[in-house]
């Protein structure tokens, strides 16, 4: 049976609970960029990544992140149109906005 490590429910930074603002947007986007797609990328499709793989890549850089905090940060990046996919808490299907050309997903890129 595989042993799993539980993520913390809170994390303190300088004596305060870690918040979304404590996680730089670019670090999350870099984690998405570094996370490989789970399968071959077919022509005309977006290279999506699963949320737990992205969270693991981000945690490798900044340490453990509570799951609810990670999902809240992802939701903020969706609102800023920096990420596309699904932010409901399912498997994710995260991708960078510049990788997406579906207007109903991420919208048009600036200057296009």
């Amino acid at each position: 049976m595989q042993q799993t490590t539980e993520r913390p429910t809170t994390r303190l930074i300088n004596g305060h609970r870690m918040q979304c603002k404590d996680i730089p947007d670019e670090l999350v986007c870099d984690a998405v960029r570094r996370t490989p797609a789970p399968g071959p990328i077919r022509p005309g499709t977006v290279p999506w990544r699963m949320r737990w793989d992205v969270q693991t890549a981000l945690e490798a850089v900044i340490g453990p992140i509570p799951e609810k905090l990670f999902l809240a940060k992802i939701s903020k990046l969706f609102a800023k149109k920096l990420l596309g996919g699904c932010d409901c808490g399912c498997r994710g299907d995260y991708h960078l906005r510049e990788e997406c050309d579906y207007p109903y997903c991420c919208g048009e890129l600036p200057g296009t």
Side-chain angles (χ1 to χ4, degrees):
M1 186 170 218
Q2 185 178 3
Q3 192 92 353
T4 59
T5 304
E6 284 193 35
R7 290 188 165 90
T9 56
T10 60
R11 180 170 164 197
L12 299 179
I13 303 245
N14 297 326
H16 299 284
R17 280 184 177 220
M18 186 181 212
Q19 299 177 20
C20 290
K21 66 182 180 182
D22 298 319
I23 305 170
D25 295 352
E26 193 54 39
L27 278 184
V28 180
C29 291
D30 284 343
V32 172
R33 204 173 278 115
R34 285 191 323 273
T35 302
I41 302 166
R42 292 172 289 174
T45 63
V46 175
W48 54 272
R49 287 79 163 190
M50 293 184 181
R51 78 174 172 99
W52 45 84
D53 295 336
V54 173
Q55 185 170 357
T56 299
L58 182 60
E59 289 177 332
V61 176
I62 65 172
I65 304 165
E67 184 175 21
K68 287 182 180 181
L69 177 61
F70 174 77
L71 292 174
K73 182 64 178 186
I74 291 293
S75 183
K76 288 183 179 292
L77 295 179
F78 272 70
K80 292 180 180 180
K81 300 279 189 196
L82 293 175
L83 292 180
C86 183
D87 66 344
C88 79
C90 65
R91 68 182 187 186
D93 295 354
Y94 304 148
H95 57 271
L96 299 168
R97 184 176 184 198
E98 64 259 18
E99 297 172 335
C100 186
D101 58 1
Y102 296 110
Y104 299 106
C105 178
C106 295
E108 292 185 27
L109 291 173
T112 58

